[in-house]
Amino acid sequence: MKKKKMPWIRGTESPDAPEAPAQGSPESQQRTAAYCRELLNRRSYGKAFRLLSELAQENDGEAAYLLSQLYDRGDGVTADQEQAAIWLRKAAGLSYPPAQFRYAMTIAPFSHGGEFSYRLCAEYLEKAAAGGHPQAMLELARLYFTGRGVENSKSRAYDLIRQAAEADPSISSDEQIGSCLYANVELAAALPHLKKAYNQGHYEICGILSSYYMRGIAGVKQDVETAFGILKQGANHRNGLSEYIIGCHYRDESNYPRARAYLQSAYDHNVMEAAYDLANVIMKTPDPSRRDMRTAFKMLSKAASYPTVRHYDALGDLGTCYHEGWGTEQDHEEAVRCFSMTLKNSPDNKASLLGLGYCYLNGTGIRQDREYGLELIRKAASKGVIPAGELLYGSYSAPEEDRRYVKSFSEYLSWLTVAADNGDPQACRLLGNLYLAGEKVPRDNRMAEKYLARAAELLDRDAMRQVIGIAQEQEDADPMFISTFATAMVTVYGESEWGSMLPQDPEERSEAENNVRDMLLDRLRIELPLPSERAAALLEKISQDETNDLLLDLPIPQELP
């Protein structure tokens, strides 16, 4: 009978994997830990998983730690965050310093009641530092420097930094002291330490050192080119914070392929803040076929479990993933839990207001309460959440006896105006046409043109047709205004009949195309879905354009005065 492969084994075993040490030999436990690391280096995950499982059951702390990593990454076994946490907790309890450090930085702070606790974080950092873990010493030094979770003591912080530098020669005391002073907003005191570390080739501080030149602080003259040059130096040496800042720059420029590459690298280099932004970039990628929602869900899960400033933003977006079934199985009860916990700690979180409002409105994952659901939807709409506004003003289009949410014209006008002012193209067009027709509002051509033009800028097809028609009737109409929207109709929607209105002059054509590019980016920044597959493909191409990339040719400063 043919032997079946176990379902949790991923990939094939390495044919030349080293033989396992003989079971029961005196040195077997120590040798097996080293042997398992060799297996992992060879990517022979299935065999490593089996051996580590046996050793971890025998209370080998290192094996339990490595086993938790396999569960965390899904190497050789189906990814399971709960099992990863169980084995990490066991490894930390077995006094394995790397496990104590990771436990301190991820799980321990949330282990009592779900609220973050620096005291619990410090407790396990102390244990890891006592076991000689240099990074634990540095993280603990930062806590002593600021008095979070421990008694404030700069002398204890400096002692820990010196111990870490002695334990690991690659650690620079100047780098660490400068970083602590910077974190404590002692910017002038930090600067000489940071410059000294940079000039000695310790580029881990490039991320924070660049901020002096980016913002012009602590007596440093503002110089954006030098700031980005320092960041490039840091990224070239795999400094996670530098990669994170560059990734955010590309994200803001809507260059999503480059943003994703830098943010992924930053996360891989332990910048946990990058997890949320990486998920955000994946979810905003214009081409739906390139959105890896499983990875986005995983990154949101990481961000929601880590105490960054975006913790509750991540938790709210995680709720949306559960609600919609993005990257995971649909689970309305888990969505409600995420939304509720987020709003408890961040009452204005837009994703949670909208998501929990839908859940109460429809009775999904929680007992139905239409009034409370509508209250949350209204609050979301007032904060510019476009789907919430659409739900409210859209309900007015039903016959009077069937209107569920908005019953009067004055209320309809109010929500329509809020939605339009927050960039909803449909609301802009509807409001513009109300003012144009003078229907239940005073006729106002200026307001009509304002809202119709805004709808057209957000690529609403009907609004573009209208503004072209209005502009053609005006004697002083700007030709570029007309040709820009005609170019949009051709390039975004593929409507070739507008081709006769395209500029013939190459420079004018280029200007019109750049205007369309800006319109596409504007719509994406407001987080609206693109109006067609053609628009998505065009923006995907634009986002990979390197012709206007500030970072490509910037010089890297070799030494700072």
Side-chain angles (χ1 to χ4, degrees), residues 133-445:
H133 195 284
Q135 289 302 316
M137 296 174 191
L138 296 179
E139 291 295 338
L140 190 58
R142 293 186 180 99
L143 295 184
Y144 275 107
F145 212 94
T146 57
R148 291 182 295 190
V150 292
E151 183 181 352
N152 187 288
S153 173
K154 286 188 179 180
S155 61
R156 172 70 172 140
Y158 291 142
D159 284 343
L160 285 164
I161 289 171
R162 281 192 287 269
Q163 290 173 32
E166 290 170 3
D168 182 352
S170 69
I171 292 173
S172 161
S173 295
D174 276 301
E175 171 201 333
Q176 298 302 326
I177 291 171
S179 298
C180 285
L181 288 166
Y182 182 89
N184 209 39
V185 202
E186 297 179 47
L187 303 182
L191 184 58
H193 291 285
L194 296 173
K195 282 186 174 181
K196 185 176 178 182
Y198 182 91
N199 292 337
Q200 291 174 344
H202 293 280
Y203 300 122
E204 293 82 357
I205 47 76
C206 286
I208 58 178
L209 181 58
S210 69
S211 68
Y212 285 84
Y213 295 89
M214 192 75 75
R215 295 156 53 197
I217 55 177
V220 175
K221 184 180 178 182
Q222 188 176 33
D223 185 343
V224 174
E225 288 196 2
T226 296
F228 273 114
I230 292 170
L231 288 172
K232 282 179 67 176
Q233 181 76 285
N236 288 345
H237 289 83
R238 300 186 176 183
N239 169 240
L241 182 57
S242 296
E243 292 171 324
Y244 175 63
I245 296 171
I246 292 175
C248 289
H249 162 75
Y250 281 122
R251 177 205 62 199
D252 294 341
E253 293 297 310
S254 299
N255 188 329
Y256 292 109
R258 283 180 175 268
R260 182 169 179 177
Y262 276 101
L263 291 170
Q264 180 68 64
S265 188
Y267 175 77
D268 291 342
H269 293 133
N270 299 315
V271 180
M272 293 301 295
E273 289 85 349
Y276 177 79
D277 294 279
L278 179 56
N280 193 257
V281 162
I282 291 171
M283 295 168 80
K284 277 189 175 182
T285 299
D287 183 356
S289 67
R290 298 186 65 182
R291 291 182 199 146
D292 181 0
M293 295 306 296
R294 288 188 178 276
T295 298
F297 176 79
K298 182 180 178 181
M299 289 297 104
L300 287 173
S301 299
K302 294 286 186 186
S305 67
Y306 194 77
T308 68
V309 294
R310 309 304 297 273
H311 168 73
Y312 290 112
D313 288 337
L315 189 61
D317 288 347
L318 195 63
T320 302
C321 287
Y322 280 116
H323 188 266
E324 301 295 334
W326 292 341
T328 186
E329 289 186 12
Q330 194 172 49
D331 186 338
H332 288 122
E333 290 185 3
E334 187 62 20
V336 168
R337 188 191 71 80
C338 291
F339 292 144
S340 300
M341 188 178 295
T342 300
L343 291 177
K344 178 182 176 183
N345 295 277
S346 181
D348 293 330
N349 181 269
K350 294 178 180 180
S352 297
L353 287 169
L354 178 65
L356 193 60
Y358 279 147
C359 289
Y360 272 107
L361 205 60
N362 300 312
T364 50
I366 199 166
R367 186 175 179 179
Q368 191 174 41
D369 184 339
R370 290 181 182 275
E371 285 305 312
Y372 184 57
L374 192 55
E375 179 185 329
L376 292 172
I377 295 287
R378 285 180 178 135
K379 187 173 181 181
S382 69
K383 295 185 178 301
V385 179
I386 288 174
E390 288 176 343
L391 179 71
L392 294 173
Y393 72 71
S395 71
Y396 187 76
S397 60
E400 188 172 353
E401 62 275 12
D402 295 329
R403 291 174 191 162
R404 300 173 63 185
Y405 309 128
V406 172
K407 300 185 183 299
S408 69
F409 177 79
S410 60
E411 190 180 3
Y412 166 70
L413 182 62
S414 174
W415 287 119
L416 193 63
T417 304
V418 168
D421 289 343
N422 280 286
D424 179 346
Q426 178 179 254
C428 287
R429 172 169 49 80
L430 292 172
L431 189 57
N433 280 314
L434 280 180
Y435 283 115
L436 190 64
E439 183 183 341
K440 295 188 179 181
V441 294
R443 183 183 176 89
D444 189 329
N445 289 339

Side-chain angles (χ1 to χ4, degrees), residues 83-105:
Q83 283 295 314
I86 288 171
W87 288 109
L88 181 60
R89 187 179 296 111
K90 179 165 184 174
L94 290 167
S95 300
Y96 184 58
Q100 291 170 323
F101 173 68
R102 188 168 179 82
Y103 188 70
M105 300 302 290

